[in-house]
């Protein structure tokens, strides 16, 4: 069956974005990318994807807006509390055995997962020995993560998630309410490296003890998923831990042999120690 004109236009747009701006979305799950590009086209009032491609190539101010469509920026603090409870109860005891720790939050979005882990590590007495790496390809998202400012209306959900995750303290200990915003304490990010990093094209960070990359792989095709799982395998120390999203799995990855299931129900894996 011949490709539709629309599908050809989408491929040409993704190729153009990669060649001109070096952002590579060519191996993202096509159905998801197509849906988001059509949303952008409709919202911006273009008659076709080709017309939108021309605008993206000739007006660099459009690219950040396009990235906001192509990267998913929806999260919450302590999302899936049982995942964080499993980290607290089953992973942290192993992490305590290291004199220093490196944690990578890959695809950090606006920083909700980073701050969740920073609070968890503070509660478990590991904050002073841990360096966090928070990465994303979207510079707007990274800037928001560095600011650590969230709508006050979200705090009720964040607080309940924190409680269900086994939090030892009050979440209010970590932020200041300011009008309609909650500003999280800068101490939570003092030991954080924020970095523009692409899981598609960039190399791995090294000697990580925990990588949390949740609800990211689901947006990649199988080839790219394999690349990223291999990247994480390279990044982790022997016996290091990898957490992925509830709808994600390493089972069918070409690099599945590098890992064993550690907490099956929470999709937490451990890199082989040999």
């Amino acid at each position: 069956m011949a490709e539709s004109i629309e599908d050809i236009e989408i491929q040409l747009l993704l190729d153009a974005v990669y060649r001109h701006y070096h952002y590579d979305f060519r191996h993202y799950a096509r159905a998801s990318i197509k849906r988001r590009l059509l949303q952008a086209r409709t919202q911006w009032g273009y008659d076709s994807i080709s017309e939108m491609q021309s605008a993206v190539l000739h007006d660099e101010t459009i690219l950040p807006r396009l990235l906001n469509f192509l990267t998913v920026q929806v999260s919450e603090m302590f999302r899936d509390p049982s995942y964080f409870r499993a980290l607290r109860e089953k992973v942290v005891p192993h992490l305590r055995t290291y004199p220093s720790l490196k944690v990578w939050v890959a695809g950090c979005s606006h920083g909700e997962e980073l701050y969740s882990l920073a609070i968890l590590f503070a509660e478990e007495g590991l904050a002073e020995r841990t360096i966090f790496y928070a990465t994303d390809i979207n510079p707007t998202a990274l800037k928001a993560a560095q600011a650590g400012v969230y709508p006050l209306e979200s705090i009720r959900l964040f607080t309940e998630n924190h409680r269900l995750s086994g939090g030892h303290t009050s979440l209010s200990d970590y932020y200041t309410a300011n009008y309609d915003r909650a500003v999280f304490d800068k101490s939570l990010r003092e030991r954080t490296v924020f970095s523009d990093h692409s899981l598609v094209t960039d190399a791995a960070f090294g000697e990580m003890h925990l990588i949390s990359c949740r609800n990211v792989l689901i947006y990649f095709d199988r080839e790219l998923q394999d690349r990223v799982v291999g990247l994480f395998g390279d990044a982790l120390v022997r016996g290091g831990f990898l957490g992925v999203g509830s709808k994600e799995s390493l089972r069918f990855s070409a690099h599945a042999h590098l890992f064993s299931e550690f907490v099956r129900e929470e999709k937490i894996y451990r890199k082989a120690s040999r």
Side-chain angles (χ1 to χ4, degrees), residues 83 87 113 210-214 232 241-245 248 266-269:
Y83 169 79
L87 290 178
E113 184 139 333
L210 168 65
I211 297 174
S212 194
C213 181
R214 303 173 67 229
F232 291 156
F241 298 90
L242 169 64
V244 299
E248 298 168 333
E266 299 303 334
K267 303 298 179 69
I268 298 173
Y269 298 83

Side-chain angles (χ1 to χ4, degrees), residues 11-260:
Q11 185 61 53
L12 291 172
L13 170 59
L14 298 180
D15 288 342
V17 168
Y18 173 66
R19 292 177 63 181
H20 190 59
Y21 295 110
H22 310 296
Y23 285 98
D24 194 351
F25 293 96
R26 295 173 299 172
H27 290 284
Y28 278 54
R30 186 50 57 94
S32 177
I33 282 288
K34 181 175 181 177
R35 182 173 62 254
R36 288 182 242 163
L37 286 175
L38 292 179
Q39 288 173 348
R41 187 196 69 185
T42 299
Q43 185 170 316
W44 297 344
Y46 294 112
D47 293 329
S48 67
I49 296 293
S50 292
E51 185 180 345
M52 187 165 69
Q53 174 186 315
S54 178
V56 169
L57 287 175
H58 292 96
D59 184 352
E60 294 186 356
T61 65
I62 295 177
L63 180 67
R65 296 163 56 200
L66 182 64
L67 290 178
N68 287 334
F69 274 95
L70 296 182
T71 58
V72 178
Q73 307 296 334
V74 178
S75 190
E76 61 194 47
M77 290 189 68
F78 296 95
R79 181 181 183 181
D80 302 321
S82 58
Y83 169 79
F84 289 94
R85 182 178 285 274
L87 290 178
R88 188 187 301 274
E89 296 177 353
K90 299 181 179 182
V91 174
V92 163
H94 294 276
L95 297 181
R96 289 190 195 283
T97 65
Y98 294 96
S100 62
L101 295 165
K102 290 183 178 181
V103 176
W104 181 8
V105 184
C108 71
S109 185
H110 292 158
E112 293 92 338
E113 184 139 333
L114 166 68
Y115 289 101
S116 301
L117 288 169
I119 290 169
L120 189 156
F121 275 54
E123 291 178 327
E124 298 299 327
L126 297 177
E128 293 303 315
R129 69 172 92 167
T130 304
I131 296 177
F132 293 93
Y133 294 80
T135 67
D136 204 280
I137 64 168
N138 188 326
T140 302
L142 273 176
K143 186 175 180 179
Q146 286 181 279
V149 178
Y150 302 101
L152 200 57
E153 62 189 26
S154 301
I155 293 299
R156 187 171 183 175
L157 173 61
F158 292 177
T159 300
E160 178 64 6
N161 285 351
H162 173 247
R163 183 187 69 80
L164 292 173
S165 76
H168 305 323
T169 60
S170 171
L171 190 67
S172 61
D173 294 340
Y174 300 99
Y175 69 85
T176 302
N178 184 3
Y179 297 102
D180 60 345
R181 306 181 304 166
V183 182
F184 277 79
D185 195 90
K186 64 181 182 180
S187 65
L188 294 172
R189 53 185 176 272
E190 282 180 344
R191 296 178 62 82
T192 299
V193 177
F194 293 91
S195 178
D196 184 335
H197 180 276
S198 171
L199 293 172
V200 183
T201 58
D202 293 337
F205 293 90
E207 299 297 303
M208 295 292 151
H209 299 86
L210 168 65
I211 297 174
S212 194
C213 181
R214 303 173 67 229
N215 307 305
V216 175
L217 294 177
I218 198 172
Y219 295 106
F220 298 162
D221 66 15
R222 180 58 55 80
E223 180 181 343
L224 182 51
Q225 288 177 3
D226 285 344
R227 189 228 187 237
V228 173
V229 173
L231 191 77
F232 291 156
D234 291 340
L236 285 167
V237 299
R238 291 180 179 180
F241 298 90
L242 169 64
V244 299
S246 60
K247 296 181 180 180
E248 298 168 333
S249 174
L250 306 191
R251 182 177 301 174
F252 303 107
S253 170
H255 303 287
H257 63 280
L258 297 176
F259 298 90
S260 61

